[in-house]
Amino acid sequence: MSSQAAASVRVLLVESDGDDVARVSALLEEASAPGFRTAEVVHVAQADAAPAELDARQCDVVLLGLSRTVARSGAAFDDIHRLNRMAPVVVLSGLDDDDVAVRAVQRGAQDYLVKDRLTPDLLARSIRYARERHRLLAEQTRRLQHELKIAAFVQQSFLPSRMPAAPGHDIGAHLHASGQVGGDFYDFIELGGDRVALALGDASGKGIPGAILMAETQGVLRAEAAGCATPLELVRTLNRALLHDRSQDRFVTLFYGVLEATTGRFTFVNAGHPRAVLQEGDTESTLVSTGPPLRLFTDAAWEERTVRLHAGARLVVYSDGVTEAQDEDERFFDLEGVRAVMAEHPDCPAAELARRICHAAERFERGNPDPGDDKTVVVIQATEPG
């Protein structure tokens, strides 16, 4: 037998029932399997005490005892998720229920064993496999994190390195990613003369798939923008380019507009994107969707519309991650949240206003365990008469 196979395994047993503690401890003394010889058992009565014990000493596996009542409660699954981040977790439950077992595994348990059916060999095999699966998952996670760091660096490189020159206008933007990579992007393209193009897009899907579609969309947009006479022509061209590959059911919402700095004319197409907000003094209008998202239909049609940004006007364009941010009570940040930040900071520079809106939406959802979607805001403020 190898030294690894004969090594002692330290077990943290989380169990409030004294009889179950004695029974499981006795089974562990009898247990034997390759990679599992003798167990040192550390016992705590409650799951709340387990993290401190895991911090204090190296434990190879957690045996999390659940009574029938606790196994049916949501708190039990939170305990599994929390402890699994520190060590592999095997659930020992008094409840023989396939649905509960599936939920436990979904929250991170490596195995789910019914207390009345425990044997020394079954317990030893479960612990051995739990440790191996946990090790493999940790390796996969480390590799994925490394790949995500590279992808995040590439994604950041796609963002504009500076704001465009648009005399008489203050332009700023901010992007807050929900993860290391995502599907949101913004861009500015100087088209020559006094014309500047603004784009804010959101590719469906999180993580690397969304980032890949984002990169493809932004690459085509940059290549084609200067050659398209109008925003409508650009959106049509971009849609045709994205439709070449329909292997995945994904789409892109896009707000694309061109600002004529000397006149303040802003011509735009909103392809399925959230409505933008245009405020001028006490007057507000919304630049609503003028057609479907990109990469859905070959015969899609969009409308092109024009507004004028007079002195003091503020145009705020955002992704749905801002308005759809939810708090712990499932309330939405919504357009009212955007308006509230705008009202609170009437004289804020464009870049700072964009940052404040993103951060307000992020703070709003901090009590929600779901991190939500990427949040991106672009702001144009007219500082001189157009």
Side-chain angles (χ1 to χ4, degrees):
M1 181 178 292
S2 68
S3 60
Q4 181 180 0
S8 176
V9 177
R10 177 177 287 160
V11 175
L12 176 60
L13 175 59
V14 183
E15 179 58 69
S16 59
D17 187 288
D19 292 338
D20 283 339
V21 171
R23 180 165 175 263
V24 172
S25 298
L27 291 172
L28 287 170
E29 289 181 3
E30 300 177 40
S32 64
F36 185 99
R37 182 172 61 84
T38 305
E40 176 188 353
V41 180
V42 180
H43 171 247
V44 296
Q46 302 295 332
D48 289 346
E53 194 65 47
L54 289 170
D55 284 337
R57 67 180 86 194
Q58 178 65 43
C59 291
D60 302 297
V61 66
V62 177
L63 299 183
L64 180 60
L66 302 180
S67 67
R68 292 174 181 270
T69 301
V70 173
R72 290 191 174 98
S73 73
F77 301 105
D78 292 339
D79 290 337
I80 294 169
H81 182 67
R82 177 164 47 101
L83 295 176
N84 183 61
R85 295 181 177 182
M86 307 176 73
V89 175
V90 174
V91 172
L92 307 181
S93 175
L95 188 66
D96 185 3
D97 187 310
D98 289 343
D99 290 338
V100 175
V102 169
R103 288 182 64 193
V105 172
Q106 288 175 338
R107 290 297 283 171
Q110 300 299 328
D111 205 350
Y112 182 96
L113 304 179
V114 180
K115 292 179 179 180
D116 292 343
R117 298 179 183 175
L118 288 178
T119 66
D121 289 346
L122 175 61
L123 197 52
R125 287 197 302 271
S126 179
I127 291 174
R128 178 192 173 196
Y129 295 146
R131 294 180 65 198
E132 181 64 14
R133 285 193 294 268
H134 196 266
R135 183 186 66 79
L136 292 173
L137 285 172
E139 290 180 359
Q140 292 173 1
T141 299
R142 283 192 293 270
R143 288 197 298 269
L144 179 59
Q145 289 297 323
H146 178 68
E147 293 172 359
L148 286 174
K149 286 181 180 178
I150 296 173
F153 176 80
V154 173
Q155 184 178 22
Q156 286 295 317
S157 71
F158 274 83
L159 297 179
S161 58
R162 62 177 181 83
M163 293 298 104
H169 297 81
D170 178 22
I171 299 177
H174 187 82
L175 188 156
H176 174 82
S178 61
Q180 287 183 302
V181 292
D184 274 18
F185 72 90
Y186 67 86
D187 209 348
F188 303 107
I189 304 168
E190 296 178 352
L191 300 176
D194 67 341
R195 299 170 68 240
V196 175
L198 171 160
L200 196 161
D202 182 2
S204 64
K206 295 183 179 180
I208 291 177
I212 291 173
L213 182 54
M214 176 279 296
E216 181 182 6
T217 303
Q218 194 170 6
V220 175
L221 188 149
R222 286 183 175 180
E224 299 292 342
C228 293
T230 64
L232 182 58
E233 182 182 347
L234 182 281
V235 168
R236 288 171 174 168
T237 300
L238 186 55
N239 190 58
R240 285 194 299 270
L242 294 177
L243 280 170
H244 76 89
D245 178 14
R246 298 298 301 276
S247 60
Q248 292 183 323
D249 186 19
R250 297 189 180 277
F251 60 89
V252 179
T253 68
L254 177 72
F255 186 98
Y256 179 80
V258 175
L259 172 68
E260 296 177 2
T262 54
T263 65
R265 285 172 54 88
F266 183 76
T267 303
F268 71 95
V269 172
N270 184 339
H273 205 71
R275 52 184 174 169
V277 180
L278 175 59
Q279 289 185 350
E280 295 186 82
D282 296 330
T283 303
E284 177 184 290
S285 57
T286 54
L287 281 53
V288 298
S289 175
T290 63
L294 307 176
R295 203 175 179 268
L296 288 180
F297 312 109
T298 56
D299 57 350
W302 296 270
E303 291 183 28
E304 184 177 90
R305 296 178 184 172
T306 299
V307 294
R308 187 180 293 273
L309 307 184
H310 300 100
R314 296 194 295 177
L315 173 64
V316 176
V317 189
Y318 49 85
S319 63
D320 61 8
V322 173
T323 50
E324 293 181 6
Q326 286 184 283
D327 65 9
E328 63 273 19
D329 297 321
E330 298 186 349
R331 296 173 300 184
F332 290 102
F333 187 72
D334 218 338
L335 184 55
E336 291 305 316
V338 176
R339 289 179 176 133
V341 179
M342 295 175 70
E344 187 178 353
H345 303 282
D347 302 317
C348 198
E352 180 65 14
L353 179 60
R355 186 188 69 82
R356 287 181 180 274
I357 292 172
C358 283
H359 286 190
E362 180 196 0
R363 289 193 302 272
F364 182 82
E365 69 181 2
R366 280 183 183 169
N368 192 327
D370 183 351
D373 206 352
D374 297 343
K375 297 166 184 59
T376 307
V377 176
V378 172
V379 176
I380 299 179
Q381 298 185 155
T383 57
E384 296 179 7

